[in-house]
Amino acid sequence: MALSIRIESVSAGFNGKPAVRDLTFEAGAGKATVILGPSGSGKTTTLRIIAGLTRPDSGRVFIGDSLASGPGIIISPSRRRIGMVFQSLALWPHMTVEGNLKFVSDRTGRDGRIEKALSLVGLLDRRKNYPAELSGGEQQRVALARALVSEPEILLLDEPLASLDDALRRKMLDFMSDLRSRIGVTAVLVTHNREEALAFADSIVVMKDGCIRQQGSPSDIWNRPAGRFVASLLGENNLLDAEFVREGVVKTVLGEFKSPSGMTGKRVCAAIRPADLEIGPGGGARISGRVLGSAFRGGRYLVRIDVSGAEVAAESHNALREGEIVGLSLRRDPQVPEDV
Ligand code: ATP
């Protein structure tokens, strides 16, 4: 049975400097949770705390119903039922694939677990090969098999795909995601890559400066970002100055829109994805602007448009001429995140 992970008010630091502060979140049993954030935001420290490799200064970590880290308590990593894959892979070059898997635990040699783990990743026929005889993707799969060989309840993945090229990264991501849901293991993946996060996650924890900025499903985070930082993290977004002109109505350079809360006069920002802005003919349009330039983004163009002195980006199937006057309409109301 897969186990959940619960982090309660956890803080940790190094040499008196905080690395993570007051973290509270849950990684659901049998679900994929992604910790997403820029470099130095505390992602790896959080993963190491879950693994029992870093002791928190305060707070508690539960694995299932058991307290794994807390005041005066730290259960060792080997007793946490976890498997880990690191960015560096850390395969022993002088050992065969099979040897690398055997090395993690004496027990794994018995009862066919090595065969099972290698067949899960499709590498049973490469068991006698050395890591140098395998491709990057195959080495990645050996590292995954090694993490699974002890049949863990929890799989911790620390930027495992960062060293792969784009095409292989996507392939491995799909592979890992399918495998994870097939065996139903609880997984926590750390990444700074938004595509990886969106593709892998049932739930995303967004971190910045050692703190959690938002946790939710990929569509929650995409559609209802908690602030400017989260709004920009998952993809291009127009962040426009906005003001509540009356209760429940915000005004932006693109017009007035309904928004659930906000006192009159409150200044906020309104977030509109480029795909939610439709470009039409300029003549007679309610909102119009002047094209500043178009950039090809593969199958579509991102068009920069000046609207009354503010620059907005919209998507188009065609490149538009610089200086052309176009009309703009919104496919849906903008998001108005709390400005944090
Ligand atoms: P990256 O994506 O670059 O790996 P991250 O989000 O995983 O970054 P962490 O590695 O958790 O971030 O680091 C968070 C902060 O803690 C950083 O300021 C880092 O320098 C610091 N830190 C992490 N590990 C140690 C350590 N062993 N000793 C001292 N400082 C550390």
Side-chain angles (χ1 to χ4, degrees), residues 12-15 17-20 35-48 54 87 158-159 190-192 207 209-210:
F14 301 98
N15 314 316
K17 216 175 128 221
V20 294
I35 303 177
L36 174 69
S39 182
S41 56
K43 306 181 297 293
T44 296
T45 303
T46 307
L47 206 70
R48 289 177 58 86
T54 295
Q87 184 177 346
D158 191 359
E159 305 239 18
V190 155
T191 184
H192 60 267
M207 289 189 73
D209 300 332

Side-chain angles (χ1 to χ4, degrees), residues 80-158:
R80 291 190 180 211
R81 308 286 325 263
I82 52 169
M84 259 188 112
V85 180
F86 302 93
Q87 184 177 346
S88 62
L89 301 189
L91 298 178
W92 291 107
H94 62 291
M95 287 183 184
T96 60
V97 165
E98 192 174 53
N100 267 279
L101 266 65
K102 243 185 211 153
F103 186 76
V104 292
S105 156
D106 287 347
R107 288 196 59 213
T108 57
R110 302 181 201 154
D111 65 22
R113 288 196 198 186
I114 290 179
E115 289 75 5
K116 192 173 163 197
L118 286 175
S119 85
L120 274 174
V121 301
L123 283 180
L124 203 48
D125 58 338
R126 309 302 299 272
R127 58 194 293 168
K128 301 290 179 205
N129 286 101
Y130 288 88
E133 296 167 343
L134 304 175
S135 71
E138 287 167 340
Q139 290 182 22
Q140 204 76 39
R141 285 191 274 152
V142 176
L144 194 56
R146 189 183 51 185
L148 293 173
V149 76
S150 58
E151 300 187 334
E153 303 290 349
I154 291 168
L155 188 58
L156 302 178
L157 305 158
D158 191 359

Side-chain angles (χ1 to χ4, degrees), residues 160-172:
L161 309 177
S163 61
L164 304 181
D165 65 46
D166 271 3
L168 187 52
R169 192 161 51 76
R170 285 200 191 103
K171 208 169 138 198
M172 273 306 295

Side-chain angles (χ1 to χ4, degrees), residues 1-4 29-30 63-65 81 151-154 183-186:
M1 197 190 66
L3 297 174
S4 64
I63 295 187
D65 292 329
R81 308 286 325 263
E151 300 187 334
E153 303 290 349
I154 291 168
I183 59 179
V185 71
T186 305

